[in-house]
Amino acid sequence: MSAAAEARRAETARPASTIAVRMAGVRKAFGERIALDGADLTVVWGEVHALLGENGAGKSSLMNILAGFYGADDGVVEVAGQPAAFAEPRAASAAGIGMIHQHFKLVGPLTVLENLRLACGPRAGWRSRDAALVAMAGMAKDLGFTIKPDARVDQLSVSEQQKVEILKVLLGGARILIMDEPTAVLAESEAAAMLQLARRLADDGRAVILITHKLRDVSATADRVTVMRAGRTVIAGAPARDVTSAELARAMVGGETDILRRGTAGPGETVALELRALSTAGAEHDVPLREISLTLHSGEILGIAGLGGNGQSELLEAIIGLRTPTHGDILLHGEPASAFPAARREHGLRFVPADRFRLGLFGSLTLAENLAVPALSGRQPERRYWVTRAWMRGRARRSISDYEIAGGTADTQARLLSGGNAQKLILAREFEGAFSVLVVHSPARGLDVRAAAAVQNRLLAAAARGVGVLMISEDLDEVLALSSRVAVLSHGRLSAAVAIEQTDRAELGRLILEGA
Amino acid sequence: MNGFLADWAGAVPVFAAPFLLATTGLIINERAGVMNLGAEGIMAMGAVSAVIAMLSGSGLVAAILCACAAAVAITLLFALLAVVLRLEQVLSGLVIFAFGVGLSGVLGDSYANQPIKALGPVAPRIFAGLPHWLGRILDQDPLTYFAFVLPVLVWWVLERTELGLRLRAVGEDAPAADAAGVNVMRMRIGAVLSGGLVLGLAGAHLSLVGSQVWVNGMVSGRGWIAVALVTFSRWNTLRAIGAALLFGAVQAVIPLILSSGLNVPIYLIQMLPYVATIVVLGASGIGRTSLSAQPEDLARPFLREERR
Ligand SMILES: Nc1ncnc2c1ncn2[C@@H]1O[C@H](COP(=O)(O)OP(=O)(O)O)[C@@H](O)[C@H]1O
């Protein structure tokens, strides 16, 4: 680790006055689970500092400690040279620390302006609504945002909500900004703008900490990079241009760097799933599907590309039977699909939703219980009258080891899993038994490189076994890497599917932006 | 018939006031994300304390203060269970309900069935020039007047002030409010106690204005009806005025029918408020829009380091 050693030397040489944040030997345990095991981080004013690591490495925990959301069990935290163990978020905000969480901390039913007044009103000294309005308009203009102050926050898009968070943090006078995976929820063009903004805020003299697991974000924006693995710091503040992506990847995942290779499955002959001119009604925030037709063959991965919010969730919900179409037919293996989701499941349909905890898992049930649910329901349950914990645990243990679910035992609550492990849990459950059609939505969203590869390999393996996989994804790289055919979903319309060899990134990009 | 209608109209505000006070108190609770099912018990404590104070020779003002103090004391217990110790709110509420009703029975045992000097209309002469029925409606006691002013005041605080914004934020999304620098626990305790105080007033109204006597179990389900009225008024205290008037009208008609000598079974008539509750809840379910007014974090305890 010569890069790390060098960086440490550079650290000691740095004058104390330039240091914005110093954290050393920070420890934190949640019950039995050790989240941080002596983590270090030093950030100076005026830099974008990337904090890199796999899911569950402890990045968010470390930043939650800095921002006063968690209390550290041990270790040193200094802000601008002063010891700073914030007991609550309010104290951290007052000290100029602003954190933009991965899951935004906005009050959905309140308006944008109300959220800003709530968070910054007392500190910014706004005497009236108008004062707040003027301050907001000024800051928004400066950053190039256009957001309606009286819109309810829960009616804004994800990227607009993120902008509200940024306004909130900056209007609150933050000098140290923590952005927890800001690009994970954004489309490519928006992500680039967000990184530019981070750069600009740092150039203004602030310190910006950018949590990410995209190596590309690091090379594009960061001045220095800290890498964490399993609760410890493995690279401490190395200059970003001095470390290669390969070095960073190795530091992130430890010894095992062999991220499995991807391949492309070939289509079979039989049709597994067919949609004929499927349309749905457009309720308040939904995108109506308009005459969607597609044919999914056994053994192929059909990729559905497109920007989020163009009907992706609606398509998944219509296929699995949660949304009743207004027109059109869904055929499973050539027969009209039953109206009941359970019957479709028995007919071989499985799904992996984008929101793992809304449609996927029962957060407060244990892993064993989550895994047992499908086996206990349906027309031919595996166990009919008598269910024992031992039985549930036994089968859960098998799935946990087969699917390499880390960070929990059979008796852990599912909500305590990190994103990657939660996704593996869903796969373990959905892949149980015989099935022939799999619908997945953003299967690798928010996962680190290794977990994403593991999930994607499972999809390829399923296709190789003859399962028809419909992969709805907002990540074009993923679509290009896995699909044998691809179609583009835009404003609720689906383009004709083409073989992956007959198209390219530019062509798909055009379809995504302009529609079919 | 004019006499009947005037009697009825004149009685409606008095019957509506306890519902209105109780619903307003509960809305303050629930907008901060705390569901208090102990309303019935807290009202009972308020009612009995007011009577005990009166029979012990205190004045009306002292009696009302006593009712508030007793209600706040028992609400403090609820706040401890539900907010500080973060126990299941439904369960905590039921405990307070049972405890409050039971304790009021024990305390009021030796004061039961002794009439007290009532809290009466303020100034009948002012309304002399008005039509008879209008005069009957407007001429009320101070506590009833207050019951109709308070919802407007509470609405203004909730919707128009910084304090109200913070309270609503805590009820809608406690972690986000916490991140924005609101002290969630303090806010919830404050809301629960203020709500409890208003429930105490509702109880005092029942015994000082309504029955003018303490009878064991005299709250007789009004606390529960208020819990339903919160949903019916969609967590809005201005709407609660309408809801309470509706229920007041239903209740006010009962004694009139009974005394008019109509040949209807008494139990059927006394059932009216409960039937009305079911009808009204059903109706509010039918007319429901997709945007529910229910605070998102209602009955959900908050702990900062907990994942959810
Ligand atoms: N509030 C919490 N309660 C219980 N466990 C938690 C909590 N926050 C984090 N953890 C656990 O701590 C570990 C580190 O998680 P986190 O800091 O979120 O990692 P990262 O941000 O690098 O993905 C994980 O195993 C996670 O399950």
Side-chain angles (χ1 to χ4, degrees):
Chain A
M1 272 308 121
S2 70
E6 254 169 55
R8 217 161 281 142
R9 213 169 327 119
E11 219 65 81
T12 43
R14 211 179 289 279
S17 63
T18 64
I19 294 180
V21 176
R22 193 173 80 87
M23 304 180 84
V26 177
R27 288 173 198 283
K28 175 75 186 170
F30 295 98
E32 301 272 276
R33 171 183 309 284
I34 294 170
L36 294 174
D37 190 13
D40 307 319
L41 173 71
T42 305
V43 183
V44 300
W45 296 112
E47 74 168 343
V48 174
H49 194 115
L51 184 55
L52 209 63
E54 284 191 296
N55 293 127
K59 307 177 298 286
S60 303
S61 298
L62 188 67
M63 291 302 98
N64 274 314
I65 287 173
L66 179 59
F69 288 90
Y70 296 171
D73 296 338
D74 193 15
V76 180
V77 182
E78 286 175 7
V79 172
Q82 304 294 318
F86 301 117
E88 42 190 6
R90 200 170 348 153
S93 315
I97 294 172
M99 178 156 176
I100 297 161
H101 292 258
Q102 197 178 359
H103 302 286
F104 304 136
K105 299 261 185 184
L106 295 169
V107 185
L110 299 185
T111 68
V112 172
L113 195 65
E114 282 175 328
N115 267 285
L116 296 178
R117 278 168 53 204
L118 185 70
C120 329
R123 225 166 321 123
W126 297 332
R127 290 261 160 274
S128 65
R129 200 190 114 89
D130 286 338
L133 205 56
V134 169
M136 171 186 166
M139 182 68 81
K141 184 151 173 277
D142 188 34
L143 299 177
F145 296 168
T146 44
I147 291 174
K148 291 198 205 82
D150 291 322
R152 265 175 69 132
V153 164
D154 54 10
Q155 316 224 322
L156 299 179
S157 71
V158 172
S159 83
E160 285 172 318
Q161 292 188 4
Q162 190 177 46
K163 288 178 176 142
V164 177
E165 279 281 19
I166 289 172
L167 284 175
K168 183 173 109 179
V169 163
L170 293 180
L171 286 170
R175 304 273 304 138
I176 297 168
L177 254 79
I178 305 163
M179 302 168 106
D180 193 350
E181 295 191 30
T183 57
V185 293
L186 300 179
E188 224 156 296
S189 59
E190 290 172 329
M194 190 49 58
L195 291 175
Q196 265 171 19
L197 179 62
R199 180 73 260 164
R200 199 196 116 184
L201 294 173
D203 291 344
D204 287 348
R206 295 184 178 87
V208 178
I209 303 172
L210 188 71
I211 301 183
T212 181
H213 43 228
K214 288 190 188 157
L215 297 175
R216 214 167 15 163
D217 290 359
V218 178
S219 52
T221 334
D223 298 302
R224 293 194 307 146
V225 51
T226 290
V227 180
M228 291 183 65
R229 184 172 73 234
R232 289 169 208 244
T233 302
V234 287
I235 293 183
R241 58 185 138 61
D242 292 354
V243 283
T244 64
S245 293
E247 276 179 299
L248 290 176
R250 204 174 318 125
M252 262 169 78
V253 300
E256 317 140 62
T257 49
D258 47 333
I259 289 166
L260 298 161
R261 191 148 23 93
R262 304 167 179 187
T264 310
E269 287 305 302
T270 49
V271 174
L273 172 76
E274 191 178 350
L275 306 186
R276 287 192 191 146
L278 187 77
S279 301
T280 61
E284 228 164 309
H285 309 300
D286 299 341
V287 178
L289 298 178
R290 291 180 233 193
E291 312 228 324
I292 291 205
S293 297
L294 65 80
T295 317
L296 176 70
H297 299 97
S298 299
E300 75 165 338
I301 297 185
L302 173 56
I304 306 286
L307 296 180
N310 273 293
Q312 279 87 350
S313 315
E314 291 81 356
L315 179 59
L316 177 109
E317 288 174 15
I319 295 176
I320 63 180
L322 293 184
R323 198 174 274 265
T324 319
T326 48
H327 298 288
D329 301 302
I330 300 176
L331 303 173
L332 259 179
H333 306 298
E335 293 167 31
S338 153
F340 301 104
R344 291 189 193 181
R345 192 179 175 89
E346 298 212 342
H347 215 117
L349 178 69
R350 298 293 147 86
F351 72 97
V352 178
D355 186 336
R356 286 164 207 140
F357 286 95
R358 198 171 68 84
L359 289 181
L361 296 174
F362 304 90
S364 48
L365 296 189
T366 65
L367 265 56
E369 288 164 336
N370 267 288
L371 286 165
V373 168
L376 295 173
S377 52
R379 223 167 298 157
Q380 272 135 14
E382 211 176 307
R383 289 237 159 170
R384 195 169 291 237
Y385 301 113
W386 193 251
V387 181
T388 62
R389 288 211 164 262
W391 171 77
M392 287 201 287
R393 284 201 193 105
R395 55 203 296 294
R397 268 188 220 113
R398 236 170 302 132
S399 300
I400 289 171
S401 73
D402 285 356
Y403 284 78
E404 300 174 331
I405 300 169
T409 65
D411 294 324
T412 311
Q413 286 190 345
R415 69 194 164 93
L416 297 179
L417 293 180
S418 68
N421 288 311
Q423 190 70 311
K424 287 182 193 165
L425 178 63
I426 296 181
L427 289 186
R429 188 183 69 192
E430 295 297 296
F431 280 27
E432 226 173 61
F435 64 104
S436 49
V437 180
L438 177 67
V439 185
V440 299
H441 182 190
S442 291
R445 179 193 281 173
L447 304 194
D448 60 67
V449 190
R450 198 160 47 152
V455 167
Q456 290 164 343
N457 278 308
R458 290 280 173 186
L459 300 182
L460 289 167
R465 284 202 318 258
V467 172
V469 180
L470 186 68
M471 186 178 70
I472 306 167
S473 174
E474 288 144 34
D475 178 352
L476 194 51
D477 290 327
E478 180 175 55
V479 172
L480 288 169
L482 299 185
S483 320
S484 37
R485 290 188 305 145
V486 53
V488 171
L489 187 62
S490 167
H491 299 293
R493 287 181 206 283
L494 191 69
S495 71
V498 291
I500 197 83
E501 302 83 34
Q502 284 160 25
T503 185
D504 56 22
R505 178 182 285 272
E507 170 68 12
L508 289 175
R510 191 191 64 72
L511 278 176
I512 287 172
L513 290 179
E514 296 166 15
Chain B
M1 203 60 202
N2 195 2
F4 177 85
L5 281 182
D7 284 348
W8 185 36
V12 168
V14 172
F15 280 99
F19 286 125
L20 187 49
L21 286 168
T23 307
T24 304
L26 287 174
I27 288 177
I28 300 175
N29 273 266
E30 298 205 358
R31 289 302 286 269
V34 185
M35 184 155 69
N36 185 351
L37 295 185
E40 178 91 3
I42 297 169
M43 285 168 74
M45 285 299 290
V48 78
S49 307
V51 171
I52 293 175
M54 288 296 279
L55 290 175
S56 314
S58 318
L60 275 166
V61 176
I64 291 174
L65 290 180
C66 267
C68 291
V72 168
I74 188 170
T75 309
L76 206 55
L77 185 64
F78 174 72
L80 183 73
L81 296 177
V83 184
V84 181
L85 298 178
R86 290 179 294 100
L87 296 181
E88 175 67 49
Q89 289 183 8
V90 171
L91 206 63
S92 313
L94 292 178
V95 166
I96 294 299
F97 153 64
F99 181 57
V101 170
L103 187 63
S104 68
V106 173
L107 293 178
D109 196 29
S110 48
Y111 299 91
N113 304 318
Q114 303 175 34
I116 52 173
K117 185 174 79 68
L119 186 56
V122 188
R125 259 164 291 123
I126 303 179
F127 305 104
L130 294 172
H132 180 56
W133 59 272
L134 190 58
R136 291 289 300 273
I137 291 179
L138 291 180
D139 185 18
Q140 302 293 348
D141 61 281
L143 208 49
T144 302
Y145 285 135
F146 182 70
F148 282 86
V149 175
L150 186 68
V152 182
L153 216 64
V154 169
W155 177 86
W156 184 79
V157 171
L158 283 178
E159 304 294 336
R160 289 284 181 271
T161 68
E162 212 67 29
L163 177 69
L165 178 62
R166 297 156 83 78
L167 186 139
R168 283 185 289 140
V170 166
E172 297 288 355
D173 190 335
D178 179 54
V182 181
N183 188 331
V184 174
M185 182 167 309
R186 204 160 70 192
M187 202 50 139
R188 285 195 165 163
I189 291 177
V192 167
L193 293 185
S194 339
L197 187 120
V198 180
L199 286 170
L201 281 178
H205 190 286
L206 281 179
S207 60
L208 293 183
V209 182
S211 63
Q212 302 167 11
V213 65
W214 166 254
V215 183
N216 196 4
M218 63 175 270
V219 181
S220 66
R222 288 188 185 81
W224 291 108
I225 292 179
V227 171
L229 286 184
V230 172
T231 308
F232 180 53
S233 44
R234 309 190 73 225
W235 289 268
N236 178 332
T237 51
L238 295 185
R239 261 187 259 238
I241 299 179
L245 281 174
L246 184 68
F247 274 72
V250 172
Q251 285 231 313
V253 91
I254 294 175
L256 291 175
I257 295 182
L258 291 180
S259 62
S260 71
L262 280 178
N263 192 14
V264 200
I266 179 167
Y267 294 111
L268 213 57
I269 294 174
Q270 285 181 336
M271 223 167 68
L272 274 177
Y274 310 103
V275 174
T277 312
I278 294 171
V279 170
V280 149
L281 272 187
S284 60
I286 292 166
R288 198 153 81 207
T289 55
S290 61
L291 274 181
S292 161
Q294 175 170 336
E296 299 266 347
D297 260 0
L298 185 60
R300 205 153 144 193
F302 169 69
L303 181 62
R304 190 176 290 133
E305 293 200 4
E306 186 177 70
R307 275 210 174 162
R308 49 181 198 171

